Amino acid sequence: MKALTTIIVLLFAGMATAQIKFSDQTFDNGMKYPVAHFSKDQTIADSMNAIIKRNLVDAEVSDFCIGDYGYFQKGNHIELHMICNCIDFAETDHRYLFFSLETGVLVPYTDLFDSKERDKALKKINELISSASDETCKAELTSNGTLDWSQMTYRLYKDGIEIHPQAGTCDNPVQIPWTEISTYLKYNFL
């Protein structure tokens, strides 16, 4: 029994250390940004950190910035949301980076879906947008008829994905639960 308990503890400890983690780093101008740490493969973290830094060059050279970040992980994907409020910017800038944790590079949100099921997933998403309540971005999304992947902006949320129009100012996205699209996903555990 004692050996079984030890094995279980070691298994959970190994799983916990294989998770992506972020620590805070700060530019000289005060801007806080994330630095990735991935015990499973440091080259993945290095790739992510290089991409993060490239996406913050303008914030780093600004005289004064306030920034923060958050992230949302689903399976082997992670969405990083960085908020940049710099004196040189006209308004607060929200930057979203969607990474594959298998490669450490940016991928499109369609990477969540099995490549053989993407057409079916798009059809289902269009159906769900059409049946969404009128309080959502439905009108803006459906104004041009059936949408393709490039006409939408995606964001992860705890129960699924949010669909925003590619252009426009709609603040109430259509939310699509994982349960509605799970058969099209690349990974069943999402």
Side-chain angles (χ1 to χ4, degrees), residues 51-115:
I51 292 167
I52 291 166
K53 289 282 286 218
R54 277 195 309 269
N55 277 275
L56 294 173
V57 168
D58 58 340
E60 183 177 13
V61 298
S62 182
D63 288 335
F64 177 75
C65 279
I66 297 173
D68 209 349
Y69 66 91
Y71 62 93
F72 205 105
Q73 183 176 350
K74 280 293 188 183
N76 289 325
H77 293 89
I78 193 159
E79 180 184 74
L80 185 60
H81 177 195
M82 296 181 296
I83 303 166
C84 308
N85 190 0
C86 300
I87 200 164
D88 298 338
F89 295 1
E91 58 186 35
T92 300
D93 193 13
H94 294 265
R95 300 176 184 189
Y96 295 89
L97 303 176
F98 191 64
F99 290 98
S100 164
L101 293 178
E102 294 173 330
T103 61
V105 299
L106 295 175
V107 294
Y109 284 82
T110 55
D111 197 56
L112 286 168
F113 299 97
D114 184 314
S115 59

Side-chain angles (χ1 to χ4, degrees), residues 132-144:
S133 73
D134 289 333
E135 290 80 39
T136 65
C137 298
K138 172 185 173 178
E140 259 186 51
L141 285 163
T142 58
S143 64
N144 293 327

Side-chain angles (χ1 to χ4, degrees), residues 141-165:
L141 285 163
T142 58
S143 64
N144 293 327
T146 303
L147 297 166
D148 65 32
W149 293 110
S150 67
Q151 294 170 301
M152 300 176 265
T153 300
Y154 316 88
R155 299 289 173 252
L156 298 182
Y157 81 106
K158 70 177 183 136
D159 295 323
I161 57 174
E162 294 180 340
I163 307 293
H164 300 257

